[in-house]
Amino acid sequence: MSQETARVNESIFTPFNVISGIIIIAGLIVTVLRFTKGLGAVTNLDNNNPWGIWIGFDLLCGVALAAGGFVTSAACYIFGLKRYHSAVRPAILTAFLGYALVVLALHYDVGRPWRLPYPIFISQGTTSLLFEVALCVFLYLSVLFIEYSPAALEWLGLKKIRSMIVKLTLVLTIFGVILSTLHQSSLGALFMIAPSKLHPLWYSNYLMVYFFVSSIFAGLSMVIFEGTLAHRYFHHKMDETHLKESKDVAFGFGKAASFVMMGYVGIKLIGISIDNNWHYLTTGWGVWYLFELIGFVALPAFIYAIAVREKNLRLVQSASLISIIGVVLNRFNISLVAFNWQLPSAERYFPSWSEIVISLFVVTLGIVVYRFIVTRMPIFYEHPDYQHDN
Amino acid sequence: MGISRRQFLGFLGAAAGTTAVSVKKSEAAANKEFKGYPGSFGVLHDTTRCIGCRKCEQACNKVNELPLPKIPFDDLSVLNTKRRTQQDAYTVVNRFVENNEGQPVFVKSQCNHCLEPACASACFVKALRKVKTGAVIYDASLCVGCRYCMIACPFNIPAYEYNNPLTPRIMKCTMCHPRIEKGLIPGCVESCPKEALTFGPREKLLKTARQRIEKYPDKYIDYIYGESEMGGTSWLYLSGRPFKEIGMREDLGIQPAATFTSGPLATVPVIVGLWPVLLTGIYAISKRKEKISEEERIEAVSRSVAVAGEVMKAKLAALKDTMTKEKEAAINLEVRRALEEAAKKSESEQQAESAKDEPSDTSKEDK
């Protein structure tokens, strides 16, 4: 409490506020340009490269890195790993904000954003994997909102609605896992329609499995990484249970991530064998592929294993960061780098400054809202009124 | 099968608000082949006849009411650089390598109007659809502008109005669908001075193409491009040069694009059906484990309580035993000590009696 009052007395020009303020202003300027001059004025997209980082980063990475929500709630409520209970709320909050921002970012990218509900309510293109993604993201965003709402309702003191929603926890968790399985994998399957454009090393009939499995360790790593940052900046908000369990969460999730990543490397190799793509590994693309698979999946998996064995928290946290970069790299490779690989380099895509500004803008908005919520609502601690009914 | 497939494609563009037609995902993977709507139209492009005059581009621009380009259509210098279809150019002619006779080869490109279009299969609002005339047409009133059709198109044809901020459309050749419905032929075909383009029912065009190859085997490569590419296209091409030398990909395969995504789509209902069972099962198992471990804990506690009781009893008994023994020992000791003392006393008395006159001894006894 004392720290909160101290903050009020501080100048509002803290480094955080200044940097995020600049990014938000820049973002608003680009927003105006986007909706007055069109995508052509602010992006480097063209007819050969219709998808840029607003899809490759904001959508694909945003959804993958928000997987911590379904992974953590499944671990706690379905698999019965109760000792991770204190990690559920932060993970659900991040997932909810992540998905909300994914949808926000889509408003910039699509031509007529007010028509985003069309595939669900007006004209259902059921033959499209994008339809499947749209439906699941819409439903899952709603599920995440409900899953997150008890924290807000406790803050607002609405006990009755809160206790009704808490009773839905298991059903919502199962629903969330189903929806996540479907759209995490479908995001990968989106690219299966274009085997002639995606490099054979990244194109696979297993793309959907790869996307789903990598979303699991993306989610696990995100929970660890986010926990690291939260401890640094919101330590005073955490209750005893949270502080006591957080080490367990890091080691437990690190161990799980290590296993899943090893399995992922295994199924990637199976994919190469089945398509007999070994000969591509000796090309430049092959080197880039191995850089991604060995440097950013196998290596962090190994680091996780060592760190968990030696109970080295710092090392687990480093591994989580490398894993997150690995997932981002993978999504970039599939949607941008290895996509249209046969086009001459002059016709390839590279993001413009404005595109990067909007991506940063969206991430910054997420951090600002996250900070607003965790400093007010019971995210890192249990509300004293509800301590015993979880 | 043919009918259901036809329904599927026909309904792709069903009017807004109608209920969704659930598509049988297994269809595409089945051992069936869709060879286009019977009697549907196409265009045969004989590249050996094309002279690169750009009359087709001009006609296309006119019938589709597209903005006039900065460089006029009779300026052939644009052929020096390779071009693709754009939002203001549904068709473009490119010049390629010299042929055997030292002449350049010209190739017109536009939407190929696939029999099973990748773009229509990719569209999540059914804004693109294949119609019975053979055309793949677009409905801007449904389009969200996601550009997934552009990702999906193996020929890189659809273009987008990137500079339109609020109502951008996908722009591409319509095979002059409105003209065909009026009984006219496509603008480009009509304008071609060299009959490099032939409009007609696709089946008939395939025969024509085969006849030409047979008649002039030296002039043509023995292949009709578009007969089976990506499941077949309504536009067909003849060439005197290998197709990959004239900018056309030979590695697209003969599978319609829908078959690439039918597998992933087919897993959706299975996951919806299976996951609740699997997840509830895992929950039940973890719950049961919890319950059993709780029962075991209670049992273990009560057992250890019982065992502890026994041990305690034994200990108590042993303690009692030792205590009684100690007591006895103490009594014995006391008795012995008393006896010894008594013995000592009688001894000292005897000594006192023997030495009665010593006063110091008497004072000692008083203490």
Side-chain angles (χ1 to χ4, degrees):
Chain A
M1 269 296 141
S2 61
Q3 262 146 326
E4 227 168 286
T5 39
R7 198 180 303 131
V8 173
N9 296 333
E10 268 173 33
S11 151
I12 55 161
F13 294 104
T14 58
F16 175 84
N17 287 356
V18 170
I19 294 169
S20 56
I22 291 170
I23 293 172
I24 288 172
I25 290 167
L28 291 174
I29 294 169
V30 178
T31 305
V32 172
L33 288 174
R34 154 66 185 91
F35 289 103
T36 52
K37 309 254 185 230
L39 282 176
V42 292
T43 69
N44 280 347
L45 299 175
D46 59 43
N47 288 328
N48 283 332
N49 301 290
W51 284 358
I53 57 166
W54 291 351
I55 297 295
F57 180 74
D58 298 22
L59 173 65
L60 296 183
C61 298
V63 167
L65 298 178
F70 92 86
V71 172
T72 313
S73 56
C76 179
Y77 298 124
I78 295 177
F79 290 83
L81 304 171
K82 297 248 167 80
R83 63 182 194 279
Y84 301 141
H85 187 260
S86 62
V88 172
R89 272 206 181 170
I92 291 285
L93 172 66
T94 321
F96 171 56
L97 292 178
Y99 276 85
L101 294 169
V102 163
V103 174
L104 175 72
L106 283 178
H107 283 72
Y108 286 80
D109 190 76
V110 303
R112 311 188 198 206
W114 60 92
R115 284 186 179 174
L116 278 173
Y118 271 32
I120 299 155
F121 298 109
I122 306 288
S123 178
Q124 297 82 0
T126 49
T127 56
S128 172
L129 277 157
L130 200 59
F131 168 76
E132 142 81 2
V133 170
L135 186 62
C136 287
V137 168
F138 165 72
L139 290 174
Y140 189 45
L141 183 59
S142 318
V143 167
L144 279 171
F145 175 72
I146 303 173
E147 283 189 301
Y148 151 75
S149 65
L153 294 170
E154 286 170 17
W155 179 56
L156 296 169
L158 300 170
K159 292 192 181 182
K160 249 192 186 161
I161 314 177
R162 185 247 174 226
S163 70
M164 268 162 59
I165 290 172
V166 166
K167 281 188 193 120
L168 295 174
T169 302
L170 181 65
V171 177
L172 287 173
T173 305
I174 290 178
F175 203 38
V177 175
I178 295 168
L179 292 169
S180 294
T181 311
L182 292 177
H183 71 260
Q184 292 284 3
S185 58
S186 294
L187 280 175
L190 281 182
F191 294 92
M192 288 176 67
I193 202 158
S196 60
K197 294 185 183 177
L198 183 58
H199 191 281
L201 278 174
W202 282 273
Y203 186 91
S204 165
N205 276 332
Y206 299 129
L207 257 182
M208 55 184 322
V209 184
Y210 294 161
F211 264 58
F212 176 61
V213 175
S214 57
S215 81
I216 294 174
F217 64 76
L220 292 166
S221 302
M222 243 342 240
V223 170
I224 299 171
F225 182 68
E226 203 196 301
T228 314
L229 294 182
H231 268 275
R232 187 170 300 168
Y233 299 106
F234 303 108
H235 195 86
H236 57 284
K237 281 280 162 194
M238 296 173 177
D239 67 4
E240 222 171 282
T241 329
H242 191 102
L243 292 171
K244 207 175 68 200
E245 288 183 355
S246 65
K247 253 192 179 176
D248 254 5
V249 170
F251 289 128
F253 278 33
K255 194 174 181 179
S258 179
F259 270 105
V260 177
M261 289 164 93
M262 300 283 190
Y264 177 76
V265 173
I267 56 172
K268 287 285 255 192
L269 294 179
I270 289 172
I272 292 179
S273 309
I274 278 182
D275 293 333
N276 198 13
N277 280 336
W278 296 105
H279 60 286
Y280 285 110
L281 291 179
T282 56
T283 64
W285 287 103
V287 174
W288 184 242
Y289 180 85
L290 291 175
F291 176 69
E292 177 202 316
L293 190 63
I294 296 177
F296 287 91
V297 187
L299 180 70
F302 187 62
I303 298 178
Y304 266 137
I306 290 180
V308 171
R309 206 181 72 140
E310 294 179 356
K311 293 267 170 271
N312 186 336
L313 189 59
R314 259 306 181 52
L315 207 54
V316 168
Q317 291 166 344
S318 323
S320 74
L321 183 60
I322 303 172
S323 310
I324 290 166
I325 295 171
V327 172
V328 173
L329 183 63
N330 174 257
R331 300 306 193 254
F332 273 19
N333 279 342
I334 284 167
S335 63
L336 306 170
V337 181
F339 192 81
N340 274 339
W341 65 290
Q342 283 163 320
L343 284 186
S345 54
E347 293 174 26
R348 298 298 308 274
Y349 160 87
F350 194 84
S352 70
W353 275 110
S354 330
E355 287 177 83
I356 297 170
V357 164
I358 288 297
S359 289
L360 286 175
F361 169 70
V362 168
V363 173
T364 309
L365 274 187
I367 295 171
V368 169
V369 177
Y370 179 89
R371 201 173 84 140
F372 177 88
I373 291 176
V374 297
T375 49
R376 283 164 181 81
M377 299 179 196
I379 300 294
F380 294 127
Y381 60 94
E382 283 182 275
H383 196 287
D385 295 356
Y386 311 92
Q387 229 151 26
H388 299 292
D389 44 324
N390 279 311
Chain B
M1 164 63 208
I3 288 165
S4 67
R5 173 77 66 167
R6 206 179 305 160
Q7 279 174 335
F8 151 45
L9 287 165
F11 278 121
L12 268 177
T18 53
T19 43
V21 179
S22 68
V23 178
K24 292 187 203 105
K25 279 100 185 168
S26 56
E27 262 181 33
N31 190 18
K32 300 274 169 68
E33 200 186 341
F34 176 66
K35 294 196 167 169
Y37 293 119
S40 71
F41 296 108
V43 175
L44 173 64
H45 176 27
D46 190 335
T47 61
T48 64
R49 295 182 180 185
C50 183
I51 54 166
C53 65
R54 300 184 68 211
K55 287 277 191 298
C56 52
E57 289 188 36
Q58 189 170 12
C60 176
N61 179 277
K62 202 178 154 202
V63 301
N64 290 298
E65 293 165 1
L66 296 169
L68 276 175
K70 283 187 198 118
I71 305 168
F73 287 106
D74 52 11
D75 185 345
L76 298 183
S77 66
V78 296
L79 294 172
N80 293 335
T81 49
K82 191 173 185 282
R83 296 174 299 152
R84 61 153 286 163
T85 53
Q86 301 290 351
Q87 55 274 26
D88 51 4
Y90 293 171
T91 184
V92 290
V93 176
N94 279 302
R95 184 174 56 205
F96 288 94
V97 285
E98 313 277 293
N99 70 3
N100 297 335
E101 291 144 27
Q103 296 291 316
V105 180
F106 298 97
V107 182
K108 175 185 181 299
S109 74
Q110 71 297 305
C111 175
N112 286 323
H113 300 274
C114 302
L115 299 182
E116 293 179 73
C119 57
S121 142
C123 183
F124 71 160
V125 284
K126 296 190 282 194
L128 286 155
R129 62 196 163 112
K130 178 84 172 173
V131 291
K132 287 186 180 172
T133 55
V136 177
I137 59 167
Y138 167 72
D139 182 355
S141 73
L142 291 173
C143 182
V144 181
C146 71
R147 308 186 297 284
Y148 187 35
C149 50
M150 299 167 74
I151 292 280
C153 178
F155 304 106
N156 275 337
I157 294 301
Y160 185 72
E161 294 181 309
Y162 282 105
N163 291 317
N164 182 339
L166 295 173
T167 54
R169 292 168 298 173
I170 289 292
M171 306 295 274
K172 74 165 199 70
C173 162
T174 63
M175 207 160 125
C176 283
H177 177 67
R179 282 171 62 92
I180 292 174
E181 285 199 315
K182 278 188 229 158
L184 300 167
I185 65 170
C188 55
V189 179
E190 195 178 65
S191 70
C192 183
K194 301 297 282 184
E195 287 187 36
L197 301 170
T198 315
F199 177 79
R202 185 175 182 267
E203 291 302 315
K204 212 177 140 198
L205 294 176
L206 280 169
K207 277 182 200 146
T208 310
R210 274 188 212 107
Q211 280 164 4
R212 284 188 199 171
I213 293 171
E214 249 167 62
K215 210 167 173 187
Y216 305 103
D218 297 338
K219 193 176 169 190
Y220 295 105
I221 299 276
D222 187 9
Y223 190 81
I224 306 168
Y225 194 96
E227 184 177 11
S228 52
E229 270 67 28
M230 300 300 291
T233 59
S234 293
W235 277 67
L236 304 165
Y237 298 81
L238 284 175
S239 171
R241 306 287 304 170
F243 283 96
K244 68 176 171 204
E245 286 178 20
I246 58 168
M248 300 172 81
R249 292 187 64 165
E250 292 178 350
D251 59 349
L252 297 177
I254 59 166
Q255 299 255 51
T259 57
F260 302 133
T261 50
S262 61
L265 278 170
T267 59
V268 170
V270 174
I271 288 175
V272 171
L274 201 56
W275 254 222
V277 179
L278 183 70
L279 296 170
T280 322
I282 293 170
Y283 171 74
I285 290 169
S286 77
K287 205 65 186 167
R288 189 174 143 73
K289 266 189 176 165
E290 221 172 77
K291 201 180 141 203
I292 288 176
S293 73
E294 179 63 17
E295 280 171 4
E296 280 177 348
R297 194 184 63 81
I298 290 167
E299 203 190 286
V301 167
S302 62
R303 199 189 309 131
S304 62
V305 165
V307 169
E310 291 284 315
V311 171
M312 201 56 110
K313 233 184 237 169
K315 258 189 188 162
L316 265 175
L319 202 64
K320 230 183 205 168
D321 206 35
T322 40
M323 272 171 79
T324 19
K325 267 182 194 161
E326 269 173 20
K327 224 178 200 171
E328 268 171 26
I331 291 168
N332 287 344
L333 195 70
E334 285 298 311
V335 170
R336 211 182 302 146
R337 203 177 282 161
L339 283 174
E340 269 172 23
E341 233 158 74
K344 254 187 200 165
K345 216 178 186 177
S346 60
E347 213 174 279
S348 61
E349 268 168 19
Q350 276 172 4
Q351 275 176 358
E353 265 172 43
S354 58
K356 247 180 197 171
D357 342 82
E358 282 173 46
S360 59
D361 274 358
T362 342
S363 65
K364 236 181 215 172
E365 267 167 46
D366 287 344
K367 276 178 192 172

